[in-house]
Amino acid sequence: MNEVVDVRLKVFGRKDLLGLQDLHPDEIRLILDTARSFREISERPIKKVPTLRGKTLVNLFYEPSTRTRTSFEIAAKRLSADIININVPQSSIVKGEGLKDTVKTIEAMEASIVVIRHGQAGVPHILAHMVKSSIINAGDGAHEHPTQGLIDMFTILEKKGSLEGLRIVIVGDILHSRVARSNIFGLTKMGAKVCVCGPPTLIPPKVEQLKVEVYYKLEEAIKDADVIMLLRMQLERQCPNLFPTLLEYTKLYGLNKERLRVASQDVLVMHPGPINRGIEITPDVADSHYSVICDQVRNGIAVRMTVLYLLSGNRGRL
Amino acid sequence: MKLLIKGGRVIDPESRLDKVADLLIENGKIKDIIKPDTRNPIPETRIIDGKGKIVTPGLIDMHVHLREPGREDEETIKSGTRAAAKGGFTTICCMPNTSPCMDNHVVVEFVKSRVEKEGVINVIPIGGISKGLDGKELAEIGELVKAGVRAISDDGNPLMDAGMMRRALEYVKGFGIPLISHCEDINLSKDGVMNEGYMSTVLGMRGIPSASEEVMVAREIILAQLTQSQVHIAHVSTKGSVALIRDAKKKGIPITCETCPHYFVLTDEACKDFNTNTKVNPPLRTSEDVQAIKEGLKDGTIDVISTDHAPHADFEKELEYDKAPFGIVGLETALPLIFTELVGKSVLSLSDALSKVTINPALILGIKKGRIKKGFPADITIIDPDLEEVVDVNRFLSKSRNSPFDGWKVKGIPVMTIVKGRIVMEDGKVL
Ligand SMILES: [Zn+2]
């Protein structure tokens, strides 16, 4: 290693990263601080460091997600890890097949780190108790997607300098969104004012007890907003009668230039992707200078490198 | 064989008897309740030392799933009744959702013959309301009653058709037995897996709103009023249900109800580790609901504590929370939980607590049980109120282990179960 970047002498004392709900603000701060160093590494001509040399990372995806898997894969490669990708298509899961088989798979691979995406809430948590490997939750049902939450927080931090006191509005299907949950848990811990907005049928019950404000009208929600975070509307996931049509959704909640006027002058527009252009957001807004969607993707690699680095028990200098 | 239980604290909730006495049992019946040590030794009598113990009418559990016939890997009549005996129960009612189900007298006869052969305690079958328990056509309830059922229920399968429920209630009135209703509007509960509320929002899991229970409780109350037929609401779990039933009782509507230990001990907080042994239907609710359940037990709105003992195989509970089946086993933990959480924490007096598992279910079912009274069947449970135990699912006599109470420290353990004058359990060992 030829260059030295200082990272705070602190340890991330956990085996797993399962969610942002159980993290202490100091732990989130440690991740976000460390991520800054990794951002610098990704600016270098030679991006690879030997941190995870000889260690195996398994990407275990029960739901297809090329974006998240690729992002973890690039992150792990830059840390010199060996990578195994396992995609388990939903159709191949036999009814009654238990988690025990998954545990056996993980143990057989002797993986240091397992990145898991699963359609059901809690699966990474249960596995974390059962295996020695570090588990990273890459999305469990509608529960959490902690690295996406951290990426979004890092991106906001990068642009705004601080999260404290920012008015951050999450728009769309909050009910089914793990990205929304992780962001709510993380952002409120870091002192941001989080608002959620969407049709009442897509707002989870008692969400205000998580210290968020609830809005049903987009114009009211995004007034003076510092950040607007749009969620992907996924028709296939939604039960019937939660909203009538995507067309009506767009008319009520789609973000366009006109509506954006009431937000803060330097508002950031975010989207965890993949975007339904013309549904959650009009193309002109998605491509405007307000949009930091590309930054989110780029920061994804730095934040995921950070998480891999911290979970493998590293500290101090890179 | 004669038994003399000497010097125990004899409690009979019905007559409000609560005193130290000797209990003489002869020919399967309660022969006498006498002042301690006033009688000369009776020959050929086994003396049981009751000092420091509570002697109560044998416990009755109105709501048990024995799984035989059909799922003998989860429970059998043998293992289920042994678990019940260990838990201090002398009588249990078994729900009809077996495979084949108890919607006809043949299956009832089969269950009875199995009980005769392998059962260690009394078992009263509950028949189906509808054929196949699918809520469409009335079962031959007359035949079921003739075969020995003391209640009817489609438990597990919510009976959604109000017209059908009305006819069932009217029809069953002719037999003088209650209809037990599992109150759940399936259009509201849908594919929910836990209580709908703050916890389901935090955990990102699909919720079952209280309303799915309460709209059906309200319906049953209205139909009970219309038909003047006796409705018993199974496993009440919400504050709203308690309020509805309280009002209905004030109006004199023929309605009774039960709750289960998990609804006064646990809240939906217990789901946060995704332990599938907390997945039960109706789901574990909030602390506000738990409080209301305790109020309902206190003021008599809730008549009965049942277990809803629902055994499930390990391989089924070891699935993702979403995919695991609903249900908790309860026979071997119910009494200690009642003692620890209700009597120990002064929610109920000892006598009131015992009434919910003795005389009250006996009255609802119309059976000559649940009393300590001369001439009554000698179904007796002896409890050591000071004995402490740590719940260990691996020591259950039930074939299944799906209890959320594993590792809990509890106090108030049944030490002897006597059925018709015969000792079937002594110091935790079923004979
Ligand atoms: Zn039921």
Side-chain angles (χ1 to χ4, degrees), chain A residues 3 29 41 43 61-62 66 85-86 100 113 123 128 156 168 180 182 190 192 243 254-256 298 306 312:
Chain A
E3 271 177 79
R29 226 165 271 134
I41 289 178
E43 312 272 272
F61 276 61
Y62 286 84
T66 315
N85 287 318
I86 306 175
K100 278 193 169 164
I113 298 177
V123 170
I156 299 168
I168 298 170
S182 285
M190 303 311 284
F243 66 99
L255 190 65
N256 55 34
R298 203 187 31 172
T306 307
S312 54

Side-chain angles (χ1 to χ4, degrees), chain A residues 7 13 31 76 85 88 110 190 193 201 205 210 240 252 264:
Chain A
V7 176
I31 298 170
N85 287 318
V88 193
E110 293 177 27
M190 303 311 284
K193 175 81 235 158
T201 44
L210 289 168
L252 293 168
S264 147

Side-chain angles (χ1 to χ4, degrees), chain B residues 264-286:
Chain B
F264 59 74
V265 178
L266 296 174
T267 66
D268 56 357
E269 280 264 340
C271 308
K272 71 173 196 299
D273 297 323
F274 302 96
N275 176 356
T276 54
N277 291 330
T278 62
K279 186 174 172 184
V280 60
N281 187 15
L284 302 175
R285 305 287 187 183
T286 67

Side-chain angles (χ1 to χ4, degrees), chain B residues 142-332:
Chain B
E143 290 292 298
L144 288 166
V145 172
K146 225 163 77 188
V149 314
R150 287 302 315 159
I152 55 164
S153 181
D154 277 0
D155 185 56
N157 296 10
L159 208 162
M160 289 300 295
D161 182 336
M164 171 73 185
M165 181 55 97
R166 177 242 168 115
R167 292 304 177 207
L169 279 169
E170 273 175 350
Y171 189 73
V172 77
K173 205 162 70 157
F175 303 102
I177 62 168
L179 182 150
I180 302 173
S181 173
H182 165 122
C183 288
E184 175 189 352
D185 185 320
I186 55 169
N187 296 318
L188 284 167
S189 59
K190 273 226 151 117
D191 49 1
V193 297
M194 65 175 291
N195 181 52
E196 179 181 298
Y198 174 75
M199 284 309 293
S200 68
T201 287
V202 167
L203 296 173
M205 293 208 278
R206 289 183 304 276
I208 300 172
S210 293
S212 96
E213 176 175 316
E214 290 158 4
V215 297
M216 295 304 255
V217 169
R219 185 193 78 176
E220 305 318 35
I221 288 168
I222 291 163
L223 293 177
Q225 186 169 32
L226 172 72
T227 59
Q228 287 302 306
S229 186
Q230 193 198 340
V231 178
H232 178 79
I233 308 286
H235 39 58
V236 168
S237 74
T238 79
K239 185 182 176 181
S241 297
V242 175
L244 286 164
I245 295 163
R246 184 179 288 126
D247 279 357
K249 283 188 162 186
K250 269 186 205 145
K251 289 182 194 137
I253 296 167
I255 194 154
T256 57
C257 71
E258 69 189 29
T259 190
C260 312
H262 39 274
Y263 300 121
F264 59 74
V265 178
L266 296 174
T267 66
D268 56 357
E269 280 264 340
C271 308
K272 71 173 196 299
D273 297 323
F274 302 96
N275 176 356
T276 54
N277 291 330
T278 62
K279 186 174 172 184
V280 60
N281 187 15
L284 302 175
R285 305 287 187 183
T286 67
S287 54
E288 219 181 306
D289 295 295
V290 168
Q291 198 45 45
I293 295 287
K294 287 181 178 170
E295 292 297 326
L297 284 164
K298 235 189 228 181
D299 70 10
T301 302
I302 301 175
D303 307 88
V304 168
I305 298 168
S306 69
T307 62
D308 193 6
H309 180 81
H312 285 294
D314 285 352
F315 75 88
E316 288 187 319
K317 278 290 192 181
E318 277 166 5
L319 292 173
E320 298 89 326
Y321 206 92
D322 261 34
K323 291 184 187 159
F326 291 98
I328 290 176
V329 287
L331 286 169
E332 291 166 81

